Amino acid sequence: MGLREQIAEDLKTAMKAKDAERVSQLRGITAKIKDLDVAARVSGKEIGDGEIVPMLRGMIKSRTESATLYREGGRPELAEKEEGEIAAIRSYLPPEMDDAALAAAVDAAIAETEAASVKDMGKVMAALKAKFGGDLDMGRVNGVVKTRLS
């Protein structure tokens, strides 16, 4: 079962359970997926899990920033709502690599691309993206690659 189907099933379950907060979270995710579908309709491309995972990561990033701003602004109740949405979104993401596996993958990509300095960072990032696709959090990978090449 793909992410789209899993989210739809979870939405039905939440609606039957009358879990208004969960329904709201899942409808937000579903709306974002429909936005992807509309954008892809122009090119005639089918949206799969490979496109949905990065979209979910983007949703987490924006909600993390919002939660930080709410906390700084003295609105902890809104920050907690954003954090609840982050948890709901994370439940649909593949498990992240641990630090050792990530470091090994970055080292392998550096060796494969024969990168020598930070100028070669783009090659390394492209190799990692080609190998792992949406399974990697590229923001997290960026820091590791930069450290290794410095």
Side-chain angles (χ1 to χ4, degrees):
M1 178 183 298
L3 278 175
R4 182 188 305 263
E5 294 82 15
Q6 182 64 47
I7 293 167
E9 286 298 315
D10 290 350
L11 178 59
K12 287 178 192 174
T13 303
M15 290 171 80
K16 288 178 183 175
K18 298 189 187 312
D19 185 352
E21 185 176 340
R22 181 85 172 144
V23 168
S24 173
Q25 293 166 347
L26 293 171
R27 281 189 175 153
I29 295 170
T30 304
K32 200 75 163 148
I33 291 172
K34 286 184 181 180
D35 287 346
L36 278 179
D37 287 338
V38 169
R41 207 175 291 158
V42 174
S43 64
K45 188 175 152 188
E46 185 76 22
I47 298 297
D49 289 356
E51 291 81 17
I52 293 174
V53 169
M55 181 265 316
L56 292 174
R57 290 193 195 284
M59 290 176 72
I60 288 175
K61 181 179 178 188
S62 68
R63 279 162 180 72
T64 302
E65 292 167 357
S66 296
T68 301
L69 291 174
Y70 286 139
R71 290 226 184 273
E72 290 171 359
R75 299 293 306 266
E77 70 283 356
L78 293 175
E80 288 170 13
K81 182 178 184 241
E82 294 291 331
E83 289 163 355
E85 289 183 16
I86 290 169
I89 295 167
R90 273 210 175 106
S91 69
Y92 295 104
L93 291 175
E96 289 190 13
M97 276 189 190
D98 64 358
D99 291 337
L102 179 60
V106 168
D107 290 340
I110 289 172
E112 176 185 318
T113 60
E114 299 175 357
S117 69
V118 178
K119 290 181 181 179
D120 299 323
M121 190 168 165
K123 290 183 205 174
V124 176
M125 295 295 283
L128 288 167
K129 188 163 187 130
K131 186 172 183 178
F132 296 102
D135 291 343
L136 282 180
D137 179 1
M138 296 311 274
R140 184 172 163 227
V141 171
N142 188 347
V144 175
V145 172
K146 195 176 285 186
T147 301
R148 290 277 200 263
L149 292 176
S150 295

